[in-house]
Amino acid sequence: MNNNEEIDINKLPKHVAIIMDGNGRWAKQRGKMRIFGHENGVEAVRRTVEQCARLQIQYLTLYAFSTENWNRPKLEVETLMRLLVASLRKELKTLNKNNIRLNAVGRLDSLPKKASNELKEVIEKTSENAGTTLTLALSYGSREEIKTAVKAISSKVKNNIISPENIDEDVINAHLYTHFLPDVDLLIRTSGEHRISNFLLWQIAYAELYFIDVFWPDFSEQHLMQAILSYQNRERRFGKTSEQLS
Ligand code: FPP
C-alpha cells in the first residue's frame, strides 16, 4: 500500500501527539537491556519528526518522560537524560535544516542541569523556525499541569487580577504548560496499550485516538501514514450530528 498517495494533504491533523511506548519490551524481545530499546527509540523519534516536517504537520508533541518515570531505576533515568542531551546536541543542525522549532512542556525545573541547559539552548536556537513545532513533554504529568494552572489562577483571583466569573476555557488554556499549542487532533499510542497515562488530559478532549500494536522503536513512516489515514476517514462531530456537519 502506498499511503503517500492516499492521504489528503489538505486534511492533515494540525496537532499530532504521540505516547511513545514499548521501548523496554522491544529490547526484552531481543534479549537486551531496556536501554537498548530507548537508544533505538531515538531513531524512531528522528524518523517521525522528519516525516512530520516533510508533511508540514504544524504541531508534533512527544511524551518523552513522564512525572512517573522518575520512579524508574536510577540507571534508566540517567540513560534517558543522557540520550536526551546527546540527541539535542546531535540534532540541532537537522532541526534548523528542516525548519523545526523545538519547545518543551512539563516540570522542566526538575530536569538535571545539563539537560535543561541543552534544552534551553536548542529552544533558543530554533525559535525563529516557522515549520513544524516539535514539543517534548519532559517530566510531564497532566494532573500536575492542571494543578499548577489552578494554583496560578487561584492566586490571581486572590489578588483581584481575575474575577471568578471570568474564568473560562481560554483562561484555563492560558495557564497550562501547553498554552502555545492548539488542541490535539490525533493522539497515537504505540505498543498495543490502550491508555492515556496522564498525557494531555485537557488537550485531547476531542482528539481522535489511534492505538497501534507496534513497539515504539519499530514505528515507521508508514505507520504514521496509516494513523493519519485512519484520522482522515473518521467523522469529527464535536458533539454535533452528521447532518449538521453536511
Ligand atoms: C516508553 O517505553 C518510552 C519512554 C519512557 C521514553 C521515550 C524516550 C525515547 C524514545 C528516547 C529519548 C527521547 C528523545 C526525545 C530524544 P517504555 O520504556 O515504557 O517501554 P515498556 O512499556 O515496554 O517498558
Side-chain angles (χ1 to χ4, degrees):
M1 172 169 71
N2 185 351
N3 290 312
N4 261 317
E5 277 173 22
E6 294 179 50
I7 72 161
D8 179 351
I9 53 151
N10 298 310
K11 257 181 66 183
L12 288 171
K14 188 169 178 186
H15 185 178
V16 176
I18 308 183
I19 302 174
M20 310 180 288
D21 194 19
N23 292 351
R25 279 164 286 167
W26 185 90
K28 201 173 165 198
Q29 260 185 358
R30 288 158 177 78
K32 303 268 184 159
M33 306 255 294
R34 296 176 55 80
I35 289 164
F36 184 64
H38 296 315
E39 284 165 355
N40 282 274
V42 173
E43 295 307 314
V45 170
R46 181 180 303 123
R47 283 195 294 274
T48 306
V49 171
E50 289 189 7
Q51 179 76 342
C52 284
R54 270 195 295 275
L55 291 170
Q56 300 184 352
I57 301 269
Q58 289 184 52
Y59 299 92
L60 171 67
T61 302
L62 301 177
Y63 204 4
F65 194 87
S66 72
T67 43
E68 291 73 25
N69 286 155
W70 290 115
N71 300 321
R72 291 194 173 192
K74 194 165 167 268
L75 178 65
E76 184 169 344
V77 171
E78 282 172 2
T79 304
L80 282 167
M81 291 301 149
R82 185 175 50 73
L83 280 176
L84 174 69
V85 173
S87 306
L88 288 168
R89 262 188 209 149
K90 193 164 159 225
E91 300 303 329
L92 174 61
K93 251 196 199 147
T94 317
L95 292 174
N96 280 329
K97 195 182 97 204
N98 291 306
N99 202 18
I100 298 165
R101 176 178 189 168
L102 185 78
N103 253 311
V105 291
R107 287 288 315 270
L108 305 179
D109 55 355
S110 66
L111 295 174
K113 206 83 225 110
K114 232 182 180 173
S116 68
N117 284 345
E118 199 66 40
L119 199 58
K120 272 187 206 140
E121 193 179 326
V122 179
I123 290 173
E124 165 63 28
K125 288 187 170 159
T126 60
S127 63
E128 303 287 311
N129 295 341
T132 300
T133 295
L134 166 64
T135 304
L136 298 181
L138 289 163
S139 192
Y140 175 88
S142 196
R143 287 187 172 182
E144 193 278 328
E145 174 184 39
I146 292 168
K147 181 195 75 187
T148 303
V150 170
K151 277 189 175 169
I153 296 169
S154 307
S155 149
K156 287 185 182 171
V157 168
K158 193 171 156 208
N159 294 312
N160 296 318
I161 299 168
I162 304 178
S163 65
E165 53 280 12
N166 288 337
I167 300 172
D168 58 12
E169 292 189 9
D170 288 341
V171 169
I172 296 172
N173 267 324
H175 289 83
L176 295 173
Y177 296 139
T178 55
H179 57 87
F180 58 92
L181 296 172
D183 274 359
V184 175
D185 297 303
L186 170 62
L187 174 72
I188 300 170
R189 182 177 188 139
T190 59
S191 93
E193 306 290 356
H194 294 190
R195 280 194 294 276
I196 304 300
S197 301
N198 204 12
F199 189 43
L200 305 175
L201 299 179
W202 171 275
Q203 300 86 341
I204 59 165
Y206 283 99
E208 295 298 330
L209 309 183
Y210 185 83
F211 299 102
I212 178 168
D213 200 0
V214 159
F215 293 139
W216 176 250
D218 285 334
F219 190 76
S220 66
E221 289 91 341
Q222 285 70 30
H223 293 128
L224 179 64
M225 289 309 215
Q226 275 168 27
I228 294 174
L229 205 56
S230 164
Y231 165 86
Q232 292 186 335
N233 286 325
R234 299 183 196 184
E235 182 182 62
R236 303 186 78 200
R237 291 199 291 275
F238 299 97
K240 294 183 179 169
T241 66
S242 290
E243 292 72 28
Q244 282 177 302
L245 293 176
S246 59

